[in-house]
Amino acid sequence: MPSPIAHTAAGYVVYKFYGLKEHKVFDTVGNNSTAFILAFVFSLMPDLDVIPAFFAGNVSYFHNNFTHSLGSGLIVALIVGATCQMIQGRGFKYWSILALLCYELHVVMDYFTVGRGVMLFWPLSNERYEPAITVFYGLRRSNGLLTLDHVWTLINELCFVLLLLILMRTYEKLRLNMSG
Ligand SMILES: [Zn+2]
């Protein structure tokens, strides 16, 4: 899995292009700071499976299994949307899409990481899928946190963040040019 650096960067992009754009509709409870915080939470949510893994002392059994699937993202998104709808009396679509985008991006990014692949199509299949080309070097937990491997992880993910920033800036410039 990539580190929280890459995952939260992806969550920020979702916030910037979806969360921020729509927030005006929800100026009571769902203001943009709520969307900002939730985008970060949802972009890291699949990795909460490390908590039971830590307490059970069995990482491979709990971590990166059914939690890392498109199906789990859909279930989480529906629960989030329904909960927000109950609280606000509206906003099912907005919040479920925000959760869905952030959660599924996490799953897709883990898919493109060096490792054992992800159970992409759970619950339809328990098969793990691995891509032909990986994008992320990922964390190497078995080697401990302070390992030279993680220098590469850091460089890899900072390059990813830089690429996202360049793309976002370019998009903003193009949009300004078009509207001006
Ligand atoms: Zn993950």
Side-chain angles (χ1 to χ4, degrees):
M1 60 176 194
S3 82
I5 298 172
H7 282 312
T8 51
Y12 181 70
V13 173
V14 173
Y15 162 73
K16 224 21 199 160
F17 290 108
Y18 177 74
L20 196 61
K21 193 175 89 179
E22 299 286 327
H23 88 270
K24 291 184 189 81
V25 185
F26 301 98
D27 47 8
T28 50
V29 182
N31 55 33
N32 61 342
S33 57
T34 311
F36 179 79
I37 293 163
L38 288 184
F40 276 72
V41 170
F42 296 137
S43 66
L44 291 173
M45 190 177 264
D47 285 342
L48 289 181
D49 59 11
V50 296
I51 296 170
F54 176 77
F55 284 109
N58 188 343
V59 172
S60 58
Y61 182 75
F62 288 95
H63 176 56
N64 189 5
N65 287 317
F66 73 90
T67 53
H68 286 64
S69 64
L70 300 176
S72 288
L74 188 63
I75 294 166
V76 167
L78 291 173
I79 294 170
V80 167
T83 308
C84 292
Q85 176 76 30
M86 277 196 303
I87 296 170
Q88 288 185 284
R90 57 186 175 160
F92 175 84
K93 192 175 151 201
Y94 173 74
W95 293 111
S96 54
I97 290 177
L98 184 81
L100 191 74
L101 290 173
C102 294
Y103 198 108
E104 305 295 36
L105 258 180
H106 180 117
V107 175
V108 170
M109 286 167 73
D110 278 16
Y111 170 73
F112 282 106
T113 304
V114 177
R116 57 189 186 127
V118 295
M119 288 165 67
L120 207 55
F121 298 113
W122 181 91
L124 301 176
S125 159
N126 282 349
E127 198 179 326
R128 306 190 80 87
Y129 290 87
E130 288 181 58
I133 304 164
T134 50
V135 176
F136 298 103
Y137 188 68
L139 290 174
R140 308 290 160 101
R141 275 170 288 104
S142 51
N143 303 352
L145 197 64
L146 294 172
T147 160
L148 268 180
D149 278 338
H150 288 159
V151 176
W152 289 116
T153 310
L154 194 65
I155 292 170
N156 174 221
E157 296 191 11
L158 289 178
C159 288
F160 174 73
V161 172
L162 191 67
L163 180 71
L164 287 184
L165 288 174
I166 292 169
L167 288 175
M168 283 165 77
R169 259 207 100 98
T170 310
Y171 173 81
E172 289 291 344
K173 269 192 181 158
L174 284 174
R175 216 182 50 155
L176 276 177
N177 283 349
M178 271 158 67
S179 64

